[in-house]
Amino acid sequence: MNRYVTTFLIALLFSVSVYSQDKLVFDDRTGLLTGEVEELVKVKLAENDIEYTTLVDFKVKCEYYFTVLTLVEDDVVVSVMDCDDQLLGYKNLGSQIQTATPEEKSFLLSYNISEIIAAPGKYTDQTETWEESSDTETEAPEDVSFETSDHNTRYFFAPSAYNLKEGELYYNTVYFLLHDIQYGLTDNFSIGMGTSIIGIPIYLTPKISFPVGEKSAFALGDMLIFGTYGTNALGNLLYGSFSTGGIQGNTSIGVGYLATNESDITAKTSSAVFNLSGMARASSHIYLLTENYLFGVNTTQWAHYDRYDAATDTWTYRSEEYIQKLWLWYGVAGIRIINKNKDFVSWQIGITYVINFPGEVPDQYSNWETYSQSGINAYAFPAVSYTRKFGKKY
């Protein structure tokens, strides 16, 4: 009988231990977490019943610890926060850890993180590092908020040069009339598609991204647009973009080439497209947001010449087509509101504005009667979009 009781207690103790196992994610701003170090840290943390992961289910956010690695001057500082973004503690790991072996790095990281988690609030005033020669006092990093790539791959609609992580799925809808999804096949390559609620048109959007430094990236992408349900519309926008600033606030500059065929729903177009977009963090859940496009399209206009010659008592009438360039500035400005409790849901609310600038009428038609557009025209209307990110990865 005692043997059964003992077995039950051991099983109960084991189940409680497994159930209470904590999860931990990293925001590494130092470059310490190479692939080898990451695997070693994962093993060492598991020995203390801490599961290292790169995926967060925000429905159970409080099962996770959020760890930030930052540089304070030349020293590496590790900070750990709970699900309410409260700092549990931090430790100065010194500067020599940057040149340590992967085994040493993984030991120092896992050991100090485990100590902070085991004694919340104890390590908040550091005066020593693991280096014997250091006796300087280290203050807590000014900003140890856990940086997440909430929605840094897109603004209202325009993509940034940052890419989705492998396995991330991103859904976006504008006015609930246009719907698209983007999926990260790798950390540097994503592909997506979208269409309107009536299925016209459909577009495909592959993008490859190249990190440039710690907080910048360059991307090459394409948007292939084609008609459906019997339409023969076809268009293609090939673009390159550069983004800098990182996750919490960034600016993107892009240039592309748009070409469309002449069809039942599109006119023949061949034009450069320029893009300037950006976002800035206003609070933990609110971002300021804008995206702007500038491009020119050729429009077909008519000019008429109607003159009476009294000497011959005749009328001269001529009518000719000509091409007038029409420059369009299309933009959206507003805010992004993020709900981090529901798989990273966000709402984008703002104002859409369209301003067009007509080009000059050819000189040979200066004395003719023309029906071309003149002056600057501006329009504005509300903008609303909804996004949801699945498979959140750090």
Side-chain angles (χ1 to χ4, degrees):
M1 182 67 178
N2 290 337
R3 182 175 59 183
Y4 291 114
V5 173
T6 302
T7 303
F8 173 77
L9 291 176
I10 292 175
L12 179 61
L13 180 62
F14 177 77
S15 66
V16 171
S17 174
V18 172
Y19 178 79
S20 62
Q21 185 179 48
D22 297 310
K23 300 180 179 66
L24 180 143
V25 289
F26 272 101
D27 174 11
D28 179 22
R29 308 176 195 175
T30 64
L32 283 182
L33 282 182
T34 62
E36 184 178 359
V37 174
E38 194 173 28
E39 289 301 316
L40 290 170
V41 167
K42 183 177 182 179
V43 173
K44 293 182 183 301
L45 287 175
E47 295 173 357
N48 293 318
D49 288 333
I50 301 173
E51 178 186 351
Y52 169 68
T53 181
T54 57
L55 293 171
V56 175
D57 181 357
F58 276 83
K59 294 177 181 177
V60 287
K61 183 180 178 182
C62 287
E63 292 183 3
Y64 297 81
Y65 290 106
F66 300 88
T67 302
V68 181
L69 299 179
T70 54
L71 285 175
V72 178
E73 295 182 352
D74 292 328
D75 291 344
V76 174
V77 176
V78 56
S79 307
V80 182
M81 287 167 294
D82 63 15
C83 59
D84 294 320
D85 296 326
Q86 296 298 312
L87 182 65
L88 301 181
Y90 68 94
K91 284 197 170 189
N92 185 343
L93 306 184
S95 61
Q96 292 183 16
I97 188 175
Q98 299 181 70
T99 56
T101 66
E103 289 77 10
E104 291 172 330
K105 290 178 181 178
S106 62
F107 170 78
L108 287 167
L109 287 171
S110 58
Y111 175 78
N112 285 282
I113 290 170
S114 298
E115 277 206 326
I116 294 172
I117 292 175
K122 179 178 179 181
Y123 302 98
T124 56
D125 184 15
Q126 303 300 305
T127 57
E128 296 181 353
T129 73
W130 74 288
E131 301 170 22
E132 295 180 357
S133 60
S134 176
D135 59 358
T136 58
E137 183 175 349
T138 302
E139 296 181 356
E142 293 181 0
D143 179 15
V144 291
S145 60
F146 196 83
E147 291 192 353
T148 62
S149 53
D150 302 332
H151 298 274
N152 67 314
T153 61
R154 173 169 295 199
Y155 300 97
F156 273 89
F157 182 81
S160 71
Y162 304 112
N163 203 65
L164 291 169
K165 299 296 184 181
E166 181 179 353
E168 288 185 338
L169 178 66
Y170 194 91
Y171 165 74
N172 180 65
T173 178
V174 182
Y175 298 112
F176 294 97
L177 300 177
L178 181 68
H179 302 265
D180 75 28
I181 57 173
Q182 306 292 324
Y183 182 73
L185 292 174
T186 72
D187 286 352
N188 300 102
F189 180 72
S190 62
I191 191 167
M193 65 174 296
T195 188
S196 69
I197 58 173
I198 61 174
I200 302 175
I202 289 177
Y203 57 86
L204 302 176
T205 54
K207 184 179 79 172
I208 184 169
S209 179
F210 308 92
V212 181
E214 183 179 348
K215 294 188 176 182
S216 301
F218 175 75
L220 292 174
D222 190 77
M223 176 181 283
L224 175 62
I225 310 166
F226 52 91
T228 52
Y229 301 113
T231 66
N232 60 344
L234 182 65
N236 193 74
L237 174 62
L238 179 67
Y239 68 89
S241 64
F242 174 76
S243 299
T244 186
I247 293 170
Q248 302 296 345
N250 56 67
T251 302
S252 294
I253 300 174
V255 60
Y257 184 77
L258 174 66
T260 62
N261 70 331
E262 187 172 359
S263 68
D264 47 356
I265 61 174
T266 60
K268 188 174 183 179
T269 299
S270 179
S271 174
V273 179
F274 303 92
N275 173 259
L276 176 63
S277 301
M279 72 174 191
R281 185 179 182 181
S283 71
S284 60
H285 299 294
I286 298 178
Y287 290 78
L288 305 179
L289 204 64
T290 184
E291 68 179 66
N292 299 272
Y293 305 86
L294 178 64
F295 58 98
V297 295
N298 292 327
T299 61
T300 301
Q301 307 291 351
W302 286 89
H304 301 279
Y305 181 90
D306 191 0
R307 294 292 185 273
Y308 173 70
D309 187 345
T312 60
D313 193 26
T314 59
W315 286 85
T316 302
Y317 177 81
R318 293 177 61 185
S319 178
E320 294 183 7
E321 287 185 355
Y322 67 92
I323 300 299
Q324 182 186 30
K325 177 72 77 173
L326 182 65
W327 290 97
L328 295 173
W329 175 12
Y330 167 81
V332 189
I335 62 174
R336 167 174 284 153
I337 304 172
I338 297 175
N339 182 340
K340 293 189 177 182
N341 295 322
K342 296 182 179 179
D343 295 323
F344 271 55
V345 166
S346 77
W347 287 89
Q348 289 70 227
I349 303 171
I351 297 294
T352 296
Y353 43 88
V354 180
I355 305 173
N356 55 48
F357 310 82
E360 297 293 330
V361 175
D363 290 339
Q364 64 265 37
Y365 302 113
S366 59
N367 294 323
W368 294 39
E369 183 179 2
T370 61
Y371 297 94
S372 61
Q373 179 176 314
S374 61
I376 298 175
N377 294 297
Y379 312 91
F381 45 91
V384 178
S385 69
Y386 168 87
T387 56
R388 183 163 185 166
K389 200 170 188 178
F390 303 88
K392 184 74 186 75
K393 183 176 181 180
Y394 293 103

